[in-house]
Amino acid sequence: MRRWNGWGDDAHDYVLRANARALLLERLGPGTPPRDASLDEALQRVPASRLQDGSRFNTGAEARLRHTRGQSFPDWLATRFGRLGPFPDGVAFPESHDDAVEVLANAKRAGATVIPYGGGTSVVGHLNVPRDDRPAVSVSLERMDKLLDLDETCWLARFGGGTPGPALEKQLRERGYVLGHFPQSWEYSTVGGWVVTRSSGQQSLRYGRIEQMFDSGRLATPRGEMTVGGVPASAAGPDLREFVMGSEGRLGLLTEAVVRVRPLPQHESFHAVFFPDWAHGFAAVRALAQSGLPLSMLRLSNANETETHLTLAGEGAALRWLRRYLGWRGAGAGRCMSMLGVTGGARETRYALDGAREIVKRHRGVWIGTAIGNRWAHNRFHGVYVRNTAWEAGYAIDTVETAINWNKATGLMQAVEKAAADATAKFGERVHAFTHLSHVYRQGCSVYSSFIFRAAPSLEENMERWAAMKKAVSETIVVHGGTISHQHGVGVDHAPYLPAEKGPLGMDLIKAVAAELDPKSMMNPGKLFA
Ligand SMILES: Cc1cc2nc3c(=O)[nH]c(=O)nc-3n(C[C@H](O)[C@H](O)[C@H](O)COP(=O)(O)OP(=O)(O)OC[C@H]3O[C@@H](n4cnc5c(N)ncnc54)[C@H](O)[C@@H]3O)c2cc1C
């Protein structure tokens, strides 16, 4: 069953090995886990529903509690300390577009605000219930999880908006197709959530971001139905899909999404390469990204992240041998690991690998082969379970991501890590910060930093430390000219930084679009903009 106060299925655990614990102890000091609230304690804080007519909504305390939060750090603290409110006053589970329209009409009659709920994996406060005199309802699309239509001529698949990653790929695979959208939250996040938050999956280099995959959609808005897209390309004015992508639930419920799919690939493999240092790795990855080679994935970890990954992997004989071998090949201390994926037909993948090997060699990279890469691919949705185990050992994990042009990426990475360290030092604490470039483009890349720090005993102290770090890091991103989000979206946590990116007229335009479809501001108020 899905954990109510952590990540993932409670049947799965991530084992924190002794050497990983030793690394945390050395970098951060001993961790003391705060006491977790029990589900019963948390449920006792759920107040009575304010809905006059709850017939269309589940007003039970547990359903409401389970739809109150996502996975942001403040959400994490709220669930762990059992202080999750405000709560939605009810949760609806529509089963079709028409059903969703009826739910929306019901909410309107009740004067309620509506928070669309996909997989609940938001990490920026998209799902939080604002303090409001109006009742609030959560609309979970989890029952809209079917492949509704597959057009094999046009390679288009129509899905219910609440279809999560595994169900989506399973239904496609049965028919010989793949979408190829693999965010790390794939286990739970949904196609509707991906579209409205402009999500990016690990193999974006081949399959594109969700923006490239999203062909068309059906939106139930407070003013009626709106359909967008449906042609391969168009010069007929602004593309209305762009209004939907990134709308974060403010325009309505995306009840159906048509996505561009492809036949299943014949081959796929993931390869690890080690560079002597950041400068060589960075130059190689940029050259690879700009080469046009048909790679499906390309990422580069900085030295801190490389060492952290190697430590988490254990200390078996194979790893000891790898460290010795890398040292002997010139990739000793300060080495940076890159992960490279190829996906497709036999000829295409061979061509990509041959070309990549040449570029890697020119930049003194040591090509290790598929052992590490394929293991990464096998465990790629399991690694996030470390969040639970680390917390239970007294350590918290948060991440921040942005995208920026190549010429500013290294400076931004260093500044972000420093900002987090400085902000944490003010509380007499340290942070273990590490970074990778996770998505690459010809013009630049995304920069994804992780922070591990010690948990404090109380919710308030944890919030204070996190807020200081988040502010410092976000301001650094803005100052360096990065976007406030490459893939996680805006929600409430990034909303204060959006005006710096969009400008006053841009913000007015976004607000005007929302007001046009949702004049009473009933859809997910407070997200994206206040
Ligand atoms: C461990 C972890 C790893 C992650 N890795 C990635 C990653 O690799 N790449 C990435 O892009 N993101 C990642 N994320 C962030 C998150 O998974 C994405 O933002 C995802 O797209 C959210 O989808 P969801 O279905 O869970 O939406 P939710 O979290 O349920 O909702 C997010 C927002 O979308 C709205 N919404 C959801 N469904 C609909 C709908 N059908 N109609 C209208 N509005 C809707 C909600 O109201 C809310 O505003 C990660 C998150 C976690 C916790």
Side-chain angles (χ1 to χ4, degrees):
M1 188 174 187
R2 189 166 174 183
R3 286 180 169 88
W4 71 277
N5 67 347
W7 177 256
D9 190 319
D10 58 15
H12 296 297
D13 263 327
Y14 185 104
V15 178
L16 207 57
R17 295 171 204 261
N19 51 336
R21 287 177 188 270
L23 176 86
L24 294 175
L25 187 64
E26 180 217 317
R27 299 281 172 108
L28 303 171
T32 311
R35 187 184 81 81
D36 280 341
S38 69
L39 179 57
D40 278 347
E41 284 170 319
L43 284 171
Q44 277 162 25
R45 292 178 186 263
V46 183
S49 168
R50 292 173 294 174
L51 289 174
Q52 304 285 329
D53 172 12
S55 53
R56 196 61 183 79
F57 302 92
N58 181 339
T59 53
E62 187 161 346
R64 289 164 59 204
L65 179 141
R66 284 184 177 271
H67 292 85
T68 299
R69 295 283 186 155
Q71 289 286 326
S72 70
F73 192 65
D75 293 343
W76 180 275
L77 293 177
T79 47
R80 288 287 179 166
F81 285 91
R83 287 162 54 187
L84 293 93
F87 296 89
D89 293 278
V91 188
F93 299 90
E95 301 190 0
S96 66
H97 172 83
D98 291 346
D99 208 12
V101 169
E102 203 211 301
V103 165
L104 214 54
N106 231 287
K108 213 168 165 179
R109 275 198 298 279
T113 59
V114 173
I115 304 171
Y117 190 98
T121 67
S122 159
V123 280
V124 290
H126 279 126
L127 300 164
N128 299 4
V129 181
R131 290 194 190 282
D132 199 311
D133 292 339
R134 296 175 287 181
V137 295
S138 171
V139 179
S140 165
L141 291 131
E142 69 176 60
R143 294 186 188 158
M144 298 175 65
D145 61 351
K146 305 276 178 314
L147 172 61
L148 302 170
D149 185 32
L150 176 66
D151 181 334
E152 299 197 58
T153 306
C154 308
W155 291 359
L156 293 173
R158 186 161 58 91
F159 280 100
T163 313
L168 181 143
E169 290 296 358
K170 181 171 180 287
Q171 293 174 82
L172 284 178
R173 181 171 283 270
E174 284 165 0
R175 307 281 297 270
Y177 290 86
V178 64
L179 174 64
H181 189 69
F182 300 114
Q184 210 186 11
S185 57
W186 182 77
E187 214 181 323
Y188 296 103
S189 56
T190 63
V191 64
W194 298 336
V195 170
V196 304
T197 62
R198 302 187 85 101
S199 165
S200 191
Q202 289 163 345
Q203 284 165 263
S204 63
L205 203 48
R206 172 179 173 84
Y207 296 106
R209 292 164 61 84
I210 198 68
E211 290 98 305
Q212 283 91 48
M213 301 175 185
F214 179 52
D215 163 74
S216 53
R218 202 170 176 196
L219 201 68
T221 85
R223 282 197 49 205
E225 178 176 339
M226 185 170 88
T227 54
V228 296
V231 287
S234 167
D239 185 346
L240 295 181
R241 289 173 318 146
E242 287 292 339
F243 292 139
V244 176
M245 295 190 290
S247 58
E248 304 195 348
R250 292 220 56 155
L251 302 185
L253 297 161
L254 183 63
T255 57
E256 292 175 12
V258 178
V259 285
R260 298 170 174 142
V261 298
R262 307 172 189 220
L264 282 164
Q266 294 166 298
H267 291 275
E268 183 158 82
S269 57
F270 296 91
H271 304 250
V273 174
F274 287 83
F275 294 94
D277 52 32
W278 177 255
H280 282 88
F282 186 81
V285 164
R286 181 167 70 83
L288 284 162
Q290 292 175 336
S291 69
L293 285 169
L295 299 171
S296 58
M297 191 187 82
L298 182 58
R299 45 206 292 169
L300 176 70
S301 297
N302 71 3
N304 243 350
E305 182 166 297
T306 302
E307 217 35 53
T308 304
H309 280 323
L310 289 177
T311 305
L312 286 177
E315 262 309 330
L319 270 159
R320 281 199 298 277
W321 175 88
L322 176 69
R323 284 180 196 273
R324 269 207 305 277
Y325 173 72
L326 289 172
W328 174 67
R329 294 281 313 271
R335 66 189 143 230
C336 292
M337 182 171 73
S338 173
M339 205 77 84
L340 229 133
V342 289
T343 305
R347 214 182 293 169
E348 182 188 9
T349 51
R350 211 170 31 244
Y351 166 72
L353 281 176
D354 287 348
R357 273 202 183 87
E358 265 177 43
I359 294 175
V360 162
K361 199 167 160 200
R362 272 209 303 276
H363 293 85
R364 293 180 46 203
V366 184
W367 195 286
I368 290 300
T370 52
I372 294 181
N374 287 349
R375 187 173 141 171
W376 168 85
H378 184 71
N379 291 324
R380 61 168 137 168
F381 306 118
H382 183 64
V384 290
Y385 280 78
V386 72
R387 263 181 120 189
N388 303 326
T389 335
W391 182 261
E392 282 141 26
Y395 302 98
I397 303 180
D398 197 24
T399 60
V400 66
E401 41 80 47
T402 177
I404 195 154
N405 290 349
W406 288 115
N407 56 348
K408 295 182 188 162
T410 297
L412 172 67
M413 172 186 79
Q414 290 162 344
V416 160
E417 289 192 0
K418 184 173 181 313
D422 291 349
T424 314
K426 290 195 181 125
F427 297 90
E429 289 290 318
R430 287 176 280 166
V431 66
H432 179 47
F434 47 90
T435 300
H436 66 268
L437 312 183
S438 53
H439 300 265
V440 297
Y441 306 88
R442 293 202 177 172
Q443 132 183 27
C445 56
S446 73
V447 178
Y448 187 106
S449 299
S450 301
F451 308 114
I452 311 183
F453 43 98
R454 289 202 296 187
S458 71
L459 185 148
E460 288 74 15
E461 278 169 278
N462 279 301
M463 263 312 280
E464 194 189 353
R465 290 181 191 179
W466 172 83
M469 183 169 81
K470 182 78 179 172
K471 183 168 184 289
V473 163
S474 301
E475 285 174 358
T476 304
I477 289 174
V478 171
V479 166
H480 281 251
T483 172
I484 198 59
S485 177
H486 167 264
Q487 63 200 52
H488 288 162
V490 179
V492 290
D493 295 347
H494 292 155
Y497 307 97
L498 197 63
E501 197 164 326
K502 305 293 183 196
L505 286 183
M507 288 307 298
D508 284 352
L509 190 59
I510 293 170
K511 290 177 191 171
V513 169
E516 192 59 40
L517 292 183
D518 177 24
K520 298 217 163 114
S521 197
M522 67 181 276
M523 297 303 306
N524 213 4
K527 318 301 153 43
L528 203 56
F529 56 86

